[in-house]
């Protein structure tokens, strides 16, 4: 009954929208298809979250972790999971309702018209012929609306949930500074990217998709250089790891596998959160970044830090970074080709309530109709990512870090109150890493296989 009522309401709104806006519904009903799939995907993900939330009410850890995770820490992680999932549920409902409202009631076309009014008030000589300026105004309005909608959840997560469980160290001043810096970085990048994209699309012709692909590829590779060197230092301090045994052993490890290690930095991640992490960056010469919170959690346990870094180096040695880049480029190639097929589709614009075909709107609409494909790709990509995690773990075992890595993984799960009781379906859909129990079991298997492969003494 409720489904039938919703369908009647949807049809009624579709008819009303067509009559009010005066646009024909010829061709494929793109907008209706996007709305329908968005609702379906949201309902499915909400169902997965409900399944996972039930797991957060369990009072017993999984048997594999019963002797590894202290009971009080398990209870804390369960409470933390419940708090985060409750916020996620509310955010998911609000986000879905907002998206559906924006689509079904023609908010995007209205916002495009508002952007013209704003720019003509700023400079009366501007008109709808100045599409680049209008595009920048439209993008700015979208950014502001997105911030207004998302900021309450960000504030609640940071200052209520994270603070309640002892993770948050972000002050109000730091939070405001981050928001301002983030807006400025977005404005600078958008001020360069959007006009360039507009020009490429406007002059693309029959080879639009090739030019679009080349530009996006260039920008993606450029960001791998710009982000760690120019953007990240705006938000955090990076200081070289001090001289000592740990630093020497990291360089020795990198040298043994010919990893082109440049510098090792310690990042002051603890000024915002006590969550820990480590990563490497760079295209040719690589750098390693250690969160200061990781070093604090592993204080006096250099082998655990080395085990984590050995795992990260394993990704490089096994070619995961190259494979990931190849897959991203192939994915971008497919998207560019598909975009070239839809860029001039008049019915696509009309279905969403637009009487003209602005270039930036075409990109937004293309991203909307691409949602089913992106959702389908997400599952195999998560599977591949988990496979790579297993391989990187096996690499660390080969270097003799099985026990240290097991200890590091358990400690990081405990300190970060990570999910120790994941729902299998939720994990398969969302997680790019295997669960803690799965990784510990695999590490033991890798260790046994390594032992059995060694020649036995006569």
């Amino acid at each position: 009954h409720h489904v039938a009522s919703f369908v009647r309401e949807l049809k009624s709104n579709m008819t009303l929208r067509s009559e009010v806006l005066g646009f024909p519904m010829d061709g494929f009903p793109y907008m209706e298809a996007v709305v329908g799939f968005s609702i379906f995907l949201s309902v499915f993900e909400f169902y997965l979250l409900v399944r996972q939330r039930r797991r957060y009410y369990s009072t017993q850890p999984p048997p594999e972790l019963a002797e590894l995770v202290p009971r009080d820490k398990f209870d804390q992680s369960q409470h933390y999971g419940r708090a985060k999932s409750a916020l996620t549920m509310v955010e998911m409902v609000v986000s879905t309702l907002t998206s559906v409202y924006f689509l079904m009631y023609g908010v995007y076309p209205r916002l495009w018209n508002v952007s013209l009014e704003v720019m003509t008030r700023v400079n009366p000589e501007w008109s709808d012929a100045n599409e680049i300026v209008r595009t920048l105004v439209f993008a700015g309005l979208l950014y502001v609306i997105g911030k207004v909608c998302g900021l309450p959840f960000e504030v609640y997560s940071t200052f209520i949930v994270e603070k309640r469980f002892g993770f948050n160290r972000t002050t109000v001043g730091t939070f405001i500074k981050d928001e301002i810096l983030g807006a400025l970085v977005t404005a600078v990048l958008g001020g360069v990217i959007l006009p360039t994209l507009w020009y490429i699309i406007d002059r693309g012709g029959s080879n639009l998709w090739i030019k679009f692909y080349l530009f996006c590829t260039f920008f993606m590779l450029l960001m791998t250089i710009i982000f760690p060197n120019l953007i990240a230092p705006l938000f955090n301090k990076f200081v070289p790891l001090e001289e000592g045994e740990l630093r020497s052993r990291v360089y020795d490890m990198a040298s043994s596998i010919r990893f082109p290690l440049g510098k090792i930095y310690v990042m002051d991640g603890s000024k915002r959160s006590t969550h820990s992490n480590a990563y490497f960056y760079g295209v040719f010469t690589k750098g390693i970044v250690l969160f200061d919170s990781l070093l604090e959690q592993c204080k006096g346990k250099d082998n655990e830090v080395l085990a984590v870094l050995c795992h990260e180096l394993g990704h490089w040695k096994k070619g995961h970074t190259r494979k990931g880049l190849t897959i991203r480029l192939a994915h971008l190639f497919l998207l560019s080709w598909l975009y070239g097929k839809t860029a001039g589709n008049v019915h696509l614009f009309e279905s969403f309530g637009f009487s003209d075909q602005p270039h930036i709107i075409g990109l937004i609409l293309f991203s909307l109709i691409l949602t089913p494909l992106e959702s389908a790709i997400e599952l195999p990509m998560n599977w591949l990512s988990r496979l790579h995690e297993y391989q990187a773990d096996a690499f660390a075992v080969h270097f003799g870090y099985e026990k240290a890595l097991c200890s590091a993984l358990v400690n990081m799960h405990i300190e970060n109150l990570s999910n120790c009781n994941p729902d299998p379906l939720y994990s398969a859909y969302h997680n790019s890493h295997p669960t803690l129990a799965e990784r510990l079991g695999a590490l033991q298997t890798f260790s046994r296989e390594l032992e059995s492969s060694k020649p036995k003494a006569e």
Side-chain angles (χ1 to χ4, degrees):
H1 171 72
H2 291 300
V3 172
S5 297
F6 173 76
V7 171
R8 286 195 298 270
E9 179 67 17
L10 181 62
K11 289 181 178 179
S12 173
N13 281 313
M14 286 161 47
T15 304
L16 175 63
R17 176 183 167 280
S18 179
E19 291 173 356
V20 171
L21 298 177
F23 298 128
M25 300 298 291
D26 299 335
F28 185 79
Y30 294 100
M31 189 276 288
E32 290 74 16
V34 168
V35 169
F37 185 80
S38 296
I39 294 173
F40 166 78
L41 187 62
S42 296
V43 170
F44 175 68
E45 292 183 350
F46 196 89
Y47 162 72
L48 293 180
L49 193 55
V50 169
R51 286 177 56 103
Q52 177 56 58
R53 188 168 169 78
R54 288 173 184 164
R55 288 276 186 143
Y56 288 137
Y57 283 93
S58 172
T59 58
Q60 298 294 329
E64 306 93 330
L65 304 179
E67 297 181 2
L68 298 173
V69 179
R71 182 60 180 272
D72 61 327
K73 287 294 184 179
F74 175 76
D75 292 339
Q76 277 186 276
S77 72
Q78 293 290 84
H79 286 295
Y80 184 50
R82 290 202 296 270
K84 289 199 302 179
S85 63
L87 180 60
T88 302
M89 284 178 163
V90 176
E91 187 174 7
M92 187 182 297
V93 170
V94 172
S95 176
T96 301
L97 292 177
T98 303
S99 299
V100 170
Y101 178 83
F102 268 51
L103 293 171
M104 292 181 62
Y105 290 93
V107 175
Y108 288 112
R110 295 176 193 173
L111 201 59
W112 181 248
N113 293 332
V114 169
S115 65
L116 177 60
E117 295 177 11
V118 171
M119 61 181 278
T120 53
R121 287 183 182 181
V122 174
N123 187 345
E125 295 183 1
W126 281 334
S127 66
D128 56 0
N130 300 96
E131 191 177 313
I132 293 180
V133 177
R134 192 175 180 182
T135 293
L136 293 173
V137 174
F138 178 79
L141 292 174
L142 272 185
Y143 179 84
V144 171
I145 292 174
K147 271 298 174 185
V148 170
C149 293
L151 195 59
F153 297 102
E154 190 176 350
V155 170
Y156 188 87
S157 174
T158 301
F159 294 104
I160 303 297
V161 176
E162 294 295 300
K163 183 178 180 180
R164 184 194 307 167
F165 291 92
F167 292 123
N168 180 54
R169 289 184 179 175
T170 304
T171 64
V172 174
T174 300
F175 184 85
I176 294 174
K177 178 185 174 183
D178 286 347
E179 291 298 321
I180 294 173
L181 278 176
L184 290 175
V185 170
T186 301
V188 170
L189 291 176
V192 174
I193 297 168
L194 291 178
T196 306
L197 273 176
W198 186 94
Y199 184 82
I200 290 172
I201 297 169
D202 195 62
R203 306 297 175 88
S206 59
N207 295 322
L208 166 62
W209 72 274
I210 296 177
K211 297 174 183 177
F212 182 82
Y213 173 73
L214 292 175
F215 170 75
C216 292
T217 299
F218 169 78
F219 177 74
M220 182 174 69
L221 296 176
L222 183 63
M223 283 302 294
T224 63
I225 299 173
I226 290 177
F227 181 81
N229 293 292
L230 297 178
I231 298 178
L234 294 174
F235 297 89
N236 291 95
K237 290 182 180 179
F238 295 82
V239 297
L241 179 64
E242 62 183 19
E243 296 283 347
E245 183 182 355
L246 176 60
R247 186 176 182 275
S248 299
R249 291 178 68 183
V250 172
Y251 274 106
D252 289 342
M253 182 195 300
S255 177
S256 69
I257 62 171
R258 297 182 179 179
F259 180 78
L261 178 58
K263 294 184 178 181
I264 309 172
Y265 290 104
V266 178
M267 189 188 87
D268 62 338
S270 62
K271 80 173 185 179
R272 291 181 178 82
S273 172
T274 58
H275 289 298
S276 57
N277 204 351
Y279 64 90
F280 69 83
Y281 66 90
V283 179
F284 302 106
T285 300
K286 307 289 185 180
I288 290 177
V289 174
L290 302 171
F291 282 41
D292 56 356
S293 49
L294 175 65
L295 295 179
E296 182 63 29
Q297 291 172 9
C298 298
K299 196 170 184 178
K301 303 174 183 178
D302 285 0
N303 270 358
E304 291 189 9
V305 178
L306 290 166
V308 172
L309 291 180
C310 190
H311 167 92
E312 296 300 328
L313 294 179
H315 284 301
W316 176 83
K317 188 64 176 179
K318 294 292 183 179
H320 298 162
T321 50
R322 293 191 299 273
K323 292 174 185 175
L325 178 60
T326 301
I327 291 173
R328 286 196 296 274
L329 291 176
H331 180 223
L332 181 58
F333 187 87
L334 173 62
L335 297 186
S336 301
W337 180 79
L338 290 173
Y339 174 65
K341 294 296 182 181
T342 62
N345 189 331
V346 176
H347 293 310
L348 173 62
F349 288 88
E350 292 179 342
S351 179
F352 286 91
F354 289 92
S355 57
D356 52 355
Q357 293 85 46
H359 297 327
I360 185 64
I361 299 300
L363 280 173
I364 292 174
L365 300 184
F366 175 69
S367 67
L368 290 174
I369 64 175
L370 206 66
T371 305
L373 175 62
E374 294 297 280
S375 299
I377 291 176
E378 188 174 354
L379 284 175
M381 289 303 297
N382 278 345
W383 175 85
L384 181 62
S385 176
R386 288 191 288 268
L387 176 63
H388 286 172
E389 292 301 318
Y390 284 129
Q391 292 175 350
D393 282 350
F395 181 83
V397 170
H398 180 77
F399 265 75
Y401 286 111
E402 182 225 338
K403 291 183 179 179
L405 185 56
C406 285
S407 179
L409 290 174
V410 171
N411 287 336
M412 284 193 292
H413 261 70
I414 291 173
E415 294 298 328
N416 293 314
L417 297 183
S418 300
N419 185 6
C420 294
N421 192 25
D423 174 76
L425 189 57
Y426 178 90
S427 177
Y429 181 81
H430 283 290
N431 294 349
S432 60
H433 285 56
T435 67
L436 176 60
E438 289 170 341
R439 291 183 74 174
L440 295 179
L443 282 168
Q444 293 177 359
T445 301
F446 297 147
S447 182
R448 287 194 297 268
E449 291 175 350
L450 182 63
E451 286 297 322
S452 63
S453 66
K454 293 179 180 179
K456 299 186 186 286
E458 303 232 348

